[in-house]
Amino acid sequence: MIASTATLARHGQAHGYAVAAINILDDLSLRAVVAAATELSSPVIVQVSVKTVRAIGVDLMTATFRAAADRAPVPVALHLDHCPDRQVIADCVRAGWSSVLFDASDRDLDQAEAETAEVVALAHAAGVDVESEIENIIGVEDGVGSDVSVHSYSTRTLADVAERTGVDLLAPQLGTAHGSYTRAPVLLPDRVRELAKLTGLPVVLHGGTGLTGDDFRTFIDAGVSKINISTGLKLAYMRAARDHLNRAEATGTWNPPSMFADIARAVQDEVAAHLEMFGSVGQAAAAAQR
Ligand SMILES: [Zn+2]
């Protein structure tokens, strides 16, 4: 069934787990994410980057998601990841997506707040939740973002902006970075605790690929209830494709559906491992009722 992102994250917040938000790339990975959640009776959030939604198109993406999620026995939300582009936001809101991340981290504070308030008004009028990012999370993801910290604020400022704009989820800088880590990150779970206390809103962890199970647990205990996984899924997808193609070359057997099956299996296993780490296994029925 199709679910609200904020509702799922709030259920995780109230019950000590985080909902995995998985960046999908196509219908193959989308169906593998839903299959993993179904197998483990877990809620899940399907996330799409602006680059992917531009490549597939909002209409096809929306229709494909609905076909895959509507009759799934677990709650599944559709979320637009890091989007600084107001037109793409408007298109996804109009298409009835569960939520959007308005990424205003490239704007100065006043501009970020003003535009975030406009996005919230537009989205809430259509029943769409808004994740807010005004500090930039380090690293470039599908062409969005920066490798240096451009905007960072106190948790008090973040809480005040969240309160004035009426956003539903917060994506603050937590010491993590997009992509693969070249050195161990300095994690900031105390910021989660401060924001959770100041706002009561679900806090989102970006840059999750490469963190350990203990790191995730520390963040979840501090109050994180949505965790984004993108790079890990891309690696699983591409390595499965590479291994299949190497075998095809060696054996002279060229069978695309069999490659798709290998990729789907690898993606499903990768997602399942995260659902287990995030503690959302078995929470589907309870999460769906709220
Ligand atoms: Zn991110």
Side-chain angles (χ1 to χ4, degrees), residues 82 84 103-107 133-152 173 176-179 206-207:
H82 294 282
D103 186 338
S105 62
D106 60 344
R107 277 86 155 169
E133 178 180 343
I134 59 174
E135 294 183 309
N136 66 304
I137 289 155
I138 308 292
V140 179
E141 187 173 34
D142 273 359
V144 179
S146 162
D147 281 323
V148 291
S149 176
V150 183
H151 296 119
S152 60
Q173 173 56 255
T176 53
H178 292 130
H206 287 247

Side-chain angles (χ1 to χ4, degrees), residues 23-36 56 61 64 68 233 237-238 240-241 256-268 271:
N23 282 66
I24 57 104
L25 304 148
D26 53 15
D27 68 305
L28 185 62
S29 43
L30 164 60
R31 285 181 286 137
V33 170
V34 175
I56 296 176
M61 187 65 246
T64 308
L233 198 92
Y237 189 116
M238 295 303 286
S258 145
M259 181 177 76
F260 302 152
D262 283 356
I263 293 170
R265 187 69 251 169
V267 169
Q268 188 174 333
V271 173

Side-chain angles (χ1 to χ4, degrees), residues 219-231:
F219 275 118
I220 293 167
D221 289 346
V224 160
S225 57
K226 172 175 178 274
I227 300 179
N228 294 1
I229 297 293
S230 175
T231 305

Side-chain angles (χ1 to χ4, degrees), residues 39-187:
E39 192 170 86
L40 295 177
S41 296
S42 172
V44 77
I45 297 164
V46 166
Q47 216 163 250
V48 190
S49 74
V50 175
K51 190 176 169 184
T52 297
V53 80
R54 282 206 177 107
I56 296 176
V58 172
D59 290 346
L60 181 57
M61 187 65 246
T62 307
T64 308
F65 171 79
R66 288 204 178 123
D70 235 350
R71 266 170 287 172
V74 296
V76 189
L78 178 61
H79 176 75
L80 175 65
D81 201 14
H82 294 282
C83 186
D85 184 331
R86 298 278 300 273
Q87 186 57 53
V88 177
I89 296 257
D91 291 345
C92 293
V93 165
R94 199 173 309 117
W97 288 32
S98 311
S99 54
V100 294
L101 165 46
F102 177 48
D103 186 338
S105 62
D106 60 344
R107 277 86 155 169
D108 289 334
L109 186 58
D110 287 348
Q111 184 71 19
E113 177 171 342
E115 289 196 45
T116 300
E118 289 169 12
V119 167
V120 168
L122 178 84
H124 283 185
V128 176
D129 305 325
V130 178
E131 180 177 331
S132 169
E133 178 180 343
I134 59 174
E135 294 183 309
N136 66 304
I137 289 155
I138 308 292
V140 179
E141 187 173 34
D142 273 359
V144 179
S146 162
D147 281 323
V148 291
S149 176
V150 183
H151 296 119
S152 60
Y153 308 110
S154 68
T155 49
R156 167 54 67 187
T157 299
L158 293 180
D160 288 347
V161 172
E163 160 105 51
R164 288 195 294 265
T165 53
V167 297
D168 305 287
L169 306 104
L170 297 177
Q173 173 56 255
L174 298 174
T176 53
H178 292 130
S180 296
Y181 291 99
T182 47
R183 58 173 183 272
V186 177
L187 305 178

Side-chain angles (χ1 to χ4, degrees), residues 1 3-4 7-12 15 17 19 41-44 74-75 280 282-290:
M1 67 209 72
S4 142
T7 301
L8 295 185
R10 280 196 298 266
H11 189 263
H15 294 86
Y17 72 90
V19 185
S41 296
S42 172
V44 77
V74 296
S280 65
Q283 295 284 353
Q289 275 170 8
R290 289 174 48 110

